[in-house]
């Protein structure tokens, strides 16, 4: 049986994990605004700055979609790892090295 925690950490809980995808998207959106302003400040044409802003916005939207898709896939993978599967028994390994492939020790000899 474990003893109750005492001291400065007694009532604290672990801080929530940061949502890194949201942070990345926020910084990207900030750059979509900041970069055209800097371009205008240094004498670029308004059309060039607007084109740059549109290009950055398109890249940001594509990256956001890929990040969200990756998060959903990771969540599905975590859920699948926790649930037993009818197709995966003791003899069915999943992961690297399951088929015994890969590099073999020893030197390689040229064929010829």
């Amino acid at each position: 049986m474990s003893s109750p925690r005492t001291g400065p950490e007694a009532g604290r809980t672990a801080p929530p994990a940061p949502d890194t995808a949201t942070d990345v998207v926020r910084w990207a959106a900030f750059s979509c605004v900041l970069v055209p302003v800097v371009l205008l400040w240094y004498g670029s044409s308004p059309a060039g700055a607007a084109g740059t802003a549109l290009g950055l916005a398109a890249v940001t939207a594509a990256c956001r979609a890929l990040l969200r898709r990756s998060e959903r896939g990771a969540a599905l993978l975590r859920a699948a790892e926790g649930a037993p599967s009818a197709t995966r028994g003791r003899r069915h390994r999943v992961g690297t090295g399951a088929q015994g492939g890969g590099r073999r020790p020893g030197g390689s000899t040229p064929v010829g």
Side-chain angles (χ1 to χ4, degrees), residues 10-38:
R12 294 184 189 169
T13 60
D19 188 10
T20 55
T22 302
D23 291 342
V24 168
V25 171
R26 283 182 185 162
W27 279 107
F30 174 72
S31 72
C32 288
V33 174
L34 181 65
V35 169
V37 169
V38 170

Side-chain angles (χ1 to χ4, degrees), residues 26-107:
R26 283 182 185 162
W27 279 107
F30 174 72
S31 72
C32 288
V33 174
L34 181 65
V35 169
V37 169
V38 170
L39 287 174
L40 288 173
W41 181 267
Y42 282 101
S44 180
S45 70
T52 302
L54 288 174
L56 286 172
V59 168
T60 300
C63 289
R64 180 178 184 268
L66 290 172
L67 280 168
R68 298 298 180 204
R69 182 177 178 182
S70 174
E71 286 178 337
R72 283 193 304 268
L76 288 173
L77 183 62
R78 280 191 302 269
E81 286 177 351
S85 175
T87 60
R88 221 174 24 190
R90 289 182 66 175
R91 295 185 183 182
H92 295 109
R93 291 185 184 178
V94 176
T96 60
Q99 300 296 320
R103 294 182 176 231
R104 302 279 193 256

